[in-house]
Each structure stands twice: as C-alpha cells, then as structure tokens.
C-alpha cells in the first residue's frame, strides 16, 4: 500500500463528523430546561443532585454549582427525609411516575410545602440510573385547604350543636338552605318519614313524593309547601294539611309553621366566618372546590371563576361532572366519585384531569382531594384544591420531545463515532509500522499488531501501562494539549513529531505521513 493510498483511507476514516445538528439539539434542550418556570431536578438512586435548573436553584436560594453532586437531603426538613428516600425507592423499583409531599427549606431558611413528581430517565449510557423530578410549591394549596376545612368544621360543629337542641323537641323540625335542600332534621321528623338523614334532600323532590291534601280534601300543589314559602322570606303560621306519612302509611292531620331563620347571634358569627373565609379563599392562587354527595358544587372561589371563565352563580349548585368536565371522561369520573362517596373506593389524594372552560377550551388541573365527614361519621362531600398545570404540562412535553430528539442525535453520533473508530482500527492494523495511542497521562490506550510483532509486547500487556514502564524503540506522535508540557519534555527523546492544535484530519494525516517516512 502506498503512502498516498494510506492517506486517502485514513482521511475517510478520520474525517470529522458534522456536529451542528447535535449542538443545536443540546442548546435547545438546555434553554428549555433552564428557563422553564418550574423547578427541575435530576437525582441518582441515593438522592444526589446530578442536575438542577436555574428555577430550582433560585427556589432553594442556593447557587446551582453548589447543589450539583450534593445530597438533596440537606434541603429537606428532618421529618420529611424518610418520605423522600421512600419516594426514590418507589421510583426505581416500580419504574413508574411517583408523587409525594415533603417540606423543604428555601431561600432565607423559610420552610415550604412541596410536591415531588418523579419519573425514571435514561443516562447518557442508556441506563435507567437517574430520575427526573418536578418540584412544586404547594404551600398555597395547603393553606387554602386548611382554612376551608376549618370553616367547614366550624359549620359542622354549629350544626351538631343545633341538632342536639332540636332532637329534644317532640314535634318535627326541618332546616333547609337557599338551594332548596334540607340540611338538617330532628329525630321526630326522620322517624315520621322513615329517613336516616335529611341532608341534601331536595325540598321540592320530597314534596312531590308525598301524598298531601288540603283540609277540604283536594290535592295540595307542591308550590304551596310551607318550606318553599319560608325560603322566599315569608312567615307561615299553622298551615293545615293532611299527609300520608311514609313510615306508617297513615293519613295524618298536621299544622305546619315555617319561617326564615333569624338567630342574630348565630347569623352574625356565620357572616363573620364566611367573610373571613371568603377573603382567604379568594386570594388563594388555587381552585377551591367543595362537592356534595350528588357531585354538585357547594363552595368555590375566585380562582375557579377565573379559570372556568364563569361567575360564582354559574358554578355553585351545578353538577360538576356534567357541566365542567369533557364529555369523554364524565362517565368514568362520575362512577369513581359515586364509589368514593359510598365508601367503596379509597380517596386519591392527588389526581390530574382536564376541565372545560365556559368557552369550550380545556385546562389541565392537578387536584389535592379529601373527604368531608358529617355527623355520625357519614361522608357528606369532598373538598379539593386544584392548580392549573396546563402550561407546565406543555413545557414538560416540549422538554420531552427535545430530550428524545437529543437522545436520537446522541445515539446517531455515537454510532458514527463507533463506525469511524472501527475503520480507524482496521486501518491502523493494516499498517506495517508500529502504531499506538496514549492518553493525557501517557498511558497506552491502543497497541496495534505491528507493535506486538516488533516489540514482543502484547496489546493486553501494553494497554494501561505508562511509557515510563517500558520504552521500546518506537515512533510517537504527541498531541499538544492532551499531555502536560513537563510530561512532553520527559518523552522528547522518544517523540518524533508533535501534532499541534487544532486537531484536524489533514494535520493528523500529515504528521502520520512524516513519522512513517522517518528512518
């Protein structure tokens, strides 16, 4: 083989591969990752921080460089550390997305509640040895939930106090709200009508189900029901009617009195509690939503109105599932809700699902859910706080696509390099002269067959050894910049040519030719 043929083959094998596409993908991914308004972390299985974006470092109030290769546990309050490590174990064991809540220490030493969403990802070698974690500050969620729960507990306590009072009365006593639903009844009323509870029973629905007559024997219309008149602000005194009671099936003559509730002390307390809660709920940055056992909205806040593009009057009292969920998931969500209310399904603390705005657009909401318990340990509804994560999901999807693209580019580039390396090795093995490669510490990393034949030293014995361990009469090409200058000086007697920066195929081929031409 002539030197010219050798040069042409080497040029084909060692030609630099285009990196522009790969670098563009890397740059795009880095920009999305760093500038995302969400805290992103990458952990190994031991909880060591491998990567963190600028948002995450800023949230913790720590320089990003300081966080890398540090245990994340130093950012976690002691009581939450076991939860974090258990979370990591689940991610690596199940290889599925996992969620947990912990308390972190942020900027200025201020503690905050955080939700972690983690998913296993592959490292540069294709191994699933890392997990990518989104960290979300849910302090607002927790505060709003706690205040709403406190309000509901206060209301329930007042109902219990009132219930204890009216249960001592022998006559029937019923209470209804402005939504025309009974919310409380004493033991005499429940017994007479064969009911376990009066909560959430529609006034009109109950009136239609009863056989009721006027004193003259003519049927009494539903709109003459005393309760409905009282709900319109009227006071009804000793209204006479004849009703067939469901418990006994007998016709009974009754006198019914009904009036709006006017307990000044109670009303003032409830107004104060309501106003205080309303202010707290309306400044919360999350949706607050309470549903009764039928799935109707009983409580919400301004954030819900903003996201749904509705006023409160268009939300409260509506069937949540039929009005505000996309049709494709209504049946599934309704069925799960009924099982939850009946106690046949354990509550899911965290859940994501789309909701439907008034103008038909969909938004993705991350919900934190809990059960509302009434008297006698009965479920009377659910309480949820929800965060609009639509933009976050869009960013995550964009990151995923760019990351996948980057992985493809890296795999393609790796394949190209392996192919080039294979061609390079094939070429150097065909050379009849001694040829080897060294790393920056002057240790042999490659040793061709001609080197084995000429020196009697096998590649197995040579690779990994230092030049100082044996110095055969061989020709060396030293790449300046790859080895330290003092080390290059020490091997000057054995070095026949230097390859200066920048390393190009043309310069390398020229140097190889010069060395091989030496006598």
């Amino acid at each position: 083989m002539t030197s010219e043929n050798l040069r042409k083959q080497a040029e084909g094998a060692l030609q630099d591969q285009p990196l522009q596409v790969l670098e563009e993908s890397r740059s795009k991914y880095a920009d999305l990752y760093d500038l995302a308004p969400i805290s992103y972390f990458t952990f190994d299985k031991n909880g060591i921080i491998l990567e963190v974006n600028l948002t995450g470092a800023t949230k913790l109030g720590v320089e990003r460089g300081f966080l890398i290769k540090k245990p994340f546990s130093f950012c976690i309050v002691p009581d939450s550390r076991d939860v974090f490590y258990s979370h990591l174990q689940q991610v690596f064991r199940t290889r599925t997305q996992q969620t947990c809540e912990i308390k972190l220490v942020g900027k200025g030493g201020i503690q905050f509640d955080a939700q972690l969403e983690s998913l296993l990802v592959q490292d540069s070698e294709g191994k699933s040895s890392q997990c990518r974690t989104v960290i979300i500050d849910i302090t607002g969620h927790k505060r709003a939930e706690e205040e709403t729960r406190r309000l509901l507990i206060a209301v329930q306590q007042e109902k219990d106090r009132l219930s204890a009072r009216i249960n001592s009365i022998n006559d029937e006593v019923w209470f209804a709200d402005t939504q025309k639903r009974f919310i409380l009844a004493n033991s005499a009323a429940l017994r007479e009508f064969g009911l376990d509870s009066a909560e959430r029973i529609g006034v009109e629905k109950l009136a239609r189900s009863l056989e009721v007559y006027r004193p003259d024997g003519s049927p009494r219309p539903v709109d003459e029901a005393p309760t409905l008149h009282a709900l319109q602000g009227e006071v009804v005194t000793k209204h006479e009617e004849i009703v067939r009671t469901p418990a006994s099936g007998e016709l009974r003559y009754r006198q019914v009195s009904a009036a709006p509730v006017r307990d000044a002390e109670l009303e003032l307390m409830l107004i104060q509690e309501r106003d205080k809660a309303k202010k707290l709920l309306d400044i919360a940055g999350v949706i607050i939503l309470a549903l009764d056992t039928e799935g109707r909205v009983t409580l919400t806040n301004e954030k819900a109105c903003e996201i749904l593009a509705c006023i409160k009057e268009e939300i409260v009292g509506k069937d949540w599932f039929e009005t505000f969920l996309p049709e494709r998931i209504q049946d599934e969500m309704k069925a799960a809700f009924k099982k939850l209310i009946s106690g046949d399904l354990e509550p899911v603390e965290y859940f994501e699902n789309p909701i439907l705005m008034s103008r038909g657009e969909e938004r993705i909401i991350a919900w934190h859910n809990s059960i509302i318990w009434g008297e006698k340990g009965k479920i009377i509804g659910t309480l949820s706080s929800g965060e609009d994560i639509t933009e976050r999901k869009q960013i995550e999807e964009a990151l995923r696509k760019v990351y996948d693209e980057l992985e493809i580019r890296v795999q393609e580039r790796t394949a190209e390099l392996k192919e080039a390396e294979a061609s390079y090795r094939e070429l150097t093995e065909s050379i009849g002269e001694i040829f080897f490669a060294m790393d920056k510490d002057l240790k042999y990393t490659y040793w061709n067959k001609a080197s084995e034949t000429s020196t009697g030293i096998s590649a197995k014995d040579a690779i990994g050894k230092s030049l100082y361990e044996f110095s055969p009469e061989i020709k060396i090409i030293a790449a300046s910049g790859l080895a330290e200058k003092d080390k290059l000086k020490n091997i000057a007697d054995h070095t026949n040519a230097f390859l200066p920066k920048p390393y190009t195929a043309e310069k390398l081929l020229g140097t190889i030719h010069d060395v091989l031409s030496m006598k």
Side-chain angles (χ1 to χ4, degrees), residues 333-346 379:
M333 298 294 288
K334 266 189 172 182
F337 182 77
K338 287 181 179 178
K339 288 183 179 180
L340 177 66
I341 294 299
S342 65
D344 296 332
L345 182 68
E346 287 294 320
I379 296 175

Side-chain angles (χ1 to χ4, degrees), residues 3-4 111 127 139 153 208 290 294 325 358 396 401 404 413 425 451 511 519:
S3 295
E4 183 62 25
Q111 296 184 4
K127 299 177 180 177
T139 306
I153 289 173
R208 288 193 183 94
E294 299 298 322
L325 294 189
S358 62
E396 288 177 357
K401 286 182 178 179
D404 290 346
R413 179 60 177 165
R425 286 183 179 274
S451 298
T511 305
K519 302 296 183 181

Side-chain angles (χ1 to χ4, degrees), residues 210-282:
L210 297 174
E211 185 180 343
V212 186
Y213 301 93
R214 294 171 177 150
D216 61 7
S218 62
R220 189 211 67 186
V222 170
D223 58 13
E224 288 185 11
T227 306
L228 294 176
H229 283 269
L231 288 172
Q232 295 173 1
E234 299 178 28
V235 176
V236 179
T237 304
K238 296 182 179 181
H239 172 84
E240 296 180 355
E241 62 184 22
I242 302 169
V243 60
R244 190 181 298 279
T245 56
S248 64
E250 299 176 353
L251 287 171
R252 298 188 59 180
Y253 173 82
R254 307 193 321 163
Q255 284 188 336
V256 182
S257 296
V261 175
R262 288 286 185 262
D263 185 330
E265 182 181 350
L266 173 61
E267 200 167 342
L268 177 60
M269 185 198 77
L270 291 177
I271 289 173
Q272 289 173 341
E273 289 291 331
R274 181 198 62 197
D275 291 345
K276 181 180 178 182
K278 183 178 182 300
K279 288 178 182 178
L280 289 171
L281 297 182
D282 284 345

